Amino acid sequence: MQVIHEGSEIWGHDRPDLGGPEPGPAFGRLFDTHAAALRRYLARRVGPEPANDLVAETFLVALRRRESYRPELGTARSWLYGIATNLLRHHVRSELRGLQATARLARTGDHSHAGHDGRVAEQVDAQVRAAQLAGALAKLNPADRDTLLLVSWAGLEPAEVAEALGIPPGTVRSRLHRIRRWLRTNAPAQEEVQDLA
């Protein structure tokens, strides 16, 4: 394990020193460790192609701003997710349009396929539930949606979400509690809510 001394504190591999003159090896390890999970999270938010671009942009921004990384404030993972979340905010308008269009499909969708065999009916039901859940996600404010999806889709712990978004851990916990309660009331299918929350 790589250990870095800074003053009297010791940092491990999850809090690397990124400020050195040769950042290549450290960023190579960061990319190898976090890029795939970051891409999966971003793909769920904006689709696979934009996710590839956002991962590349996240690491480019991280490399440019490496001097600003403070290991004492959080892990490299949460720092990268914070950068990615900020980049995602530029894509929120199209994300919202997609969620709203999917929700409209749930309201106006053609359910005539329900009379076909069981597999088709199950697929239609799953698509309708996903569309209805997308409508509920579209109604969340961006800060709540980011908080919920960083936990449910990216798999970050609440403390990591706090680091990524630059907010206190208590704020993350209270947001998650409020969001879960709201989703139970406003999202149509309980199993999907449990998957998210």
Side-chain angles (χ1 to χ4, degrees):
M1 174 167 91
Q2 174 188 10
V3 176
I4 295 157
H5 298 270
E6 181 171 297
S8 61
E9 299 182 78
I10 298 175
W11 307 114
H13 68 280
D14 61 336
R15 296 172 189 253
D17 178 14
L18 301 177
E22 289 296 323
F27 273 88
R29 284 189 296 278
L30 277 181
F31 188 87
D32 291 344
T33 302
H34 300 292
L38 187 59
R39 186 198 175 283
R40 283 191 300 274
Y41 167 68
L42 292 168
R44 292 181 84 174
R45 293 286 304 263
V46 295
E49 288 307 312
N52 291 334
D53 294 339
L54 284 170
V55 168
E57 194 173 349
T58 296
F59 281 93
L60 184 61
V61 168
L63 182 61
R64 279 195 223 128
R65 296 184 186 164
R66 67 186 178 276
E67 299 292 334
S68 71
Y69 172 64
R70 304 292 305 243
E72 68 273 12
L73 298 179
T75 63
R77 177 183 187 220
S78 61
W79 180 62
L80 289 169
Y81 275 94
I83 292 169
T85 298
N86 286 333
L87 294 171
L88 268 173
R89 288 184 180 135
H90 295 290
H91 295 273
V92 165
R93 286 188 187 117
S94 59
E95 179 185 39
L96 279 175
R97 283 193 298 266
L99 289 171
Q100 290 165 343
T102 303
R104 278 193 302 276
L105 234 117
R107 290 190 300 271
T108 62
D110 177 12
H111 303 294
S112 62
H113 298 293
H116 294 270
D117 66 56
R119 278 186 24 223
V120 171
E122 287 174 11
Q123 288 176 334
V124 169
D125 288 344
Q127 289 170 347
V128 168
R129 284 194 308 273
Q132 291 167 335
L133 186 59
L137 286 174
K139 292 176 186 173
L140 290 174
N141 70 53
D144 286 350
R145 190 171 39 256
D146 287 341
T147 301
L148 176 64
L149 297 179
L150 282 168
V151 170
S152 62
W153 288 359
L156 269 63
E157 295 295 324
E160 292 177 303
V161 173
E163 293 171 1
L165 299 179
I167 58 177
T171 301
V172 172
R173 287 190 294 275
S174 69
R175 275 185 191 173
L176 287 172
H177 178 74
R178 185 184 71 248
I179 293 165
R180 287 173 178 147
R181 189 175 58 232
W182 185 87
L183 282 173
R184 279 189 212 97
T185 304
N186 295 288
Q190 186 64 29
E191 62 273 10
E192 283 84 1
V193 171
Q194 289 172 351
D195 289 343
L196 277 176

